[in-house]
Amino acid sequence: ETRFMILVSIVLSVYNGEKFIEQAIKSVENQTYADWELIIIDDGSNDRTEAIIKDYLKTDDRIKYYKKTNSGLTKSLNYGLEKVNGKYIARLDADDIWVENKLEKQIQFLEKNDDIYICGCAFSEIDENGNYICPQRTIFLKDNTDIQNNLCKCNPFFHSSVVFRSIILKQIGMYNEDFKYAQDYEYWVRILSKYKGANIPDVLAYRRYSDNMISAKKEKEQRQYAIKAKYKAIKQKKLNVVYYKYIVNDLMIVILPKFIIKLIRKVKMEIKL
């Protein structure tokens, strides 16, 4: 029985997250798997984030809090990764939440499957008020073959769903600080060049989608970095030029005005319905 025996280090970076940080922390505290440490990196928040977190520090010594000057998500995540102690590392964004048995299911899966080094899960999307949004916007890739075959097409893991073996830090390193956005995608590309990955088909996490999200506000910039990650995957796998078609969609979003992109998406949704 592996339950409650293996330390999991959860890395959470937050910047001005007063609206949702409490829900994120509670979803960690509610885990059926209790052997974890939550490493919170406050990236220079100037709202009530610090006060909210400090209330939790009083009652749960598994939570560790570090406040630093603002440097962006990638550097903050690496700052957190330098402080991990666990056999496994999990990621959670400050506006996302987990289902109660998420860690338990993923740790059991990884302990049973020695060849899998990184594990995500299925997820649902919620809005700012926690209401369910349908459909899920990303392609779900279950096994390693699926993940490897589609690596240059899309990001195979939802960032807040991932648990990976901490030995990866020694073998692969940390997030690439040249990537302001899509840092997770680039990291998975490097990890999956050496190790196998998988996604558990159970919905064990919720991704919050709102107009204030980085991915919504900075979509053009984010797509530019996603192009770099996809290009890296294509080169790494020595794929032929046909695979560059997967970059075209991102290029269109970078180049086209926002109102045209919105119009195209609206038409696509209507066709699906």
Side-chain angles (χ1 to χ4, degrees):
E1 179 62 46
T2 61
R3 197 173 166 187
F4 309 135
M5 296 291 287
I6 298 158
L7 182 66
V8 182
S9 298
I10 303 154
V11 178
L12 186 157
S13 171
V14 59
Y15 173 69
N16 286 352
E18 64 180 7
K19 193 171 181 184
F20 302 119
I21 186 66
E22 196 160 2
Q23 290 177 49
I25 294 170
K26 276 181 180 173
S27 81
V28 174
E29 288 195 319
N30 289 338
Q31 290 298 302
T32 54
Y33 191 96
D35 195 6
W36 51 259
E37 60 173 0
L38 175 58
I39 297 165
I40 302 176
I41 312 302
D42 185 342
D43 192 28
S45 298
N46 53 28
D47 63 353
R48 288 187 58 255
T49 295
E50 183 172 0
I52 292 165
I53 295 166
K54 282 187 170 174
D55 274 346
Y56 283 89
L57 296 179
K58 293 170 192 169
T59 57
D60 199 331
D61 59 9
R62 294 172 297 177
I63 301 172
K64 292 155 187 184
Y65 176 66
Y66 303 90
K67 184 155 187 175
K68 55 187 268 302
T69 52
N70 185 268
S71 63
L73 178 60
T74 314
K75 287 182 179 177
S76 293
L77 291 178
N78 283 346
Y79 185 92
L81 287 175
E82 286 168 359
K83 301 182 183 324
V84 299
N85 299 295
K87 179 182 176 182
Y88 294 103
I89 296 164
R91 269 283 294 119
L92 178 60
D93 281 333
D95 52 356
D96 296 327
I97 51 176
W98 288 346
V99 173
E100 285 181 4
N101 61 346
K102 177 191 182 289
L103 285 181
E104 185 175 349
K105 284 207 167 185
Q106 286 181 292
I107 299 307
Q108 283 176 352
F109 177 84
L110 286 162
E111 286 293 298
K112 283 176 189 168
N113 297 276
D114 292 342
D115 59 329
I116 303 295
Y117 275 70
I118 179 166
C119 170
C121 64
F123 64 95
S124 292
E125 290 192 332
I126 53 174
D127 64 17
E128 288 195 6
N129 301 312
N131 298 315
Y132 176 67
I133 301 171
C134 191
Q136 188 174 296
R137 294 160 204 264
T138 52
I139 300 163
F140 181 73
L141 306 167
K142 186 182 174 184
D143 59 26
N144 183 63
T145 306
D146 260 355
I147 288 165
Q148 297 285 359
N149 288 344
N150 288 281
L151 191 55
C152 59
K153 185 178 181 181
C154 62
N155 186 336
F157 300 113
F158 163 43
H159 208 168
S160 287
S161 80
V162 164
V163 178
F164 61 89
R165 299 178 192 271
S166 59
I167 195 166
I168 281 172
L169 297 180
K170 290 191 181 104
Q171 303 294 334
I172 304 292
M174 299 191 286
Y175 290 92
N176 183 342
E177 292 184 3
D178 291 336
F179 277 67
K180 188 179 177 183
Y181 303 112
Q183 61 283 105
D184 56 328
Y185 195 173
E186 191 276 341
Y187 197 22
W188 315 148
V189 169
R190 278 187 288 131
I191 291 169
L192 292 163
S193 70
K194 187 163 182 167
Y195 299 113
K196 288 181 180 178
N199 275 307
I200 293 173
D202 310 45
V203 173
L204 301 174
Y206 290 93
R207 177 179 184 258
R208 199 179 300 274
Y209 195 89
S210 71
D211 292 335
N212 293 321
M213 281 173 57
I214 289 173
S215 53
K217 287 169 85 175
K218 304 278 186 183
E219 186 175 19
K220 285 182 183 288
E221 267 190 272
Q222 198 169 46
R223 292 290 180 139
Q224 286 172 347
Y225 285 100
I227 288 166
K228 287 183 185 180
K230 287 181 183 183
Y231 178 72
K232 198 168 198 170
I234 292 165
K235 295 282 279 184
Q236 196 169 271
K237 290 180 175 293
K238 298 182 172 67
L239 298 170
N240 65 38
V241 291
V242 173
Y243 285 85
Y244 286 100
K245 67 185 178 184
Y246 295 126
I247 288 172
V248 173
N249 185 46
D250 295 298
L251 269 175
M252 296 288 278
I253 286 164
V254 171
I255 295 162
L256 291 173
K258 278 187 179 178
F259 75 93
I260 292 177
I261 295 161
K262 277 187 177 178
L263 192 66
I264 292 167
R265 282 176 178 159
K266 191 180 175 186
V267 170
K268 276 184 179 177
M269 284 299 288
E270 283 171 0
I271 290 167
K272 277 182 186 177
L273 294 170

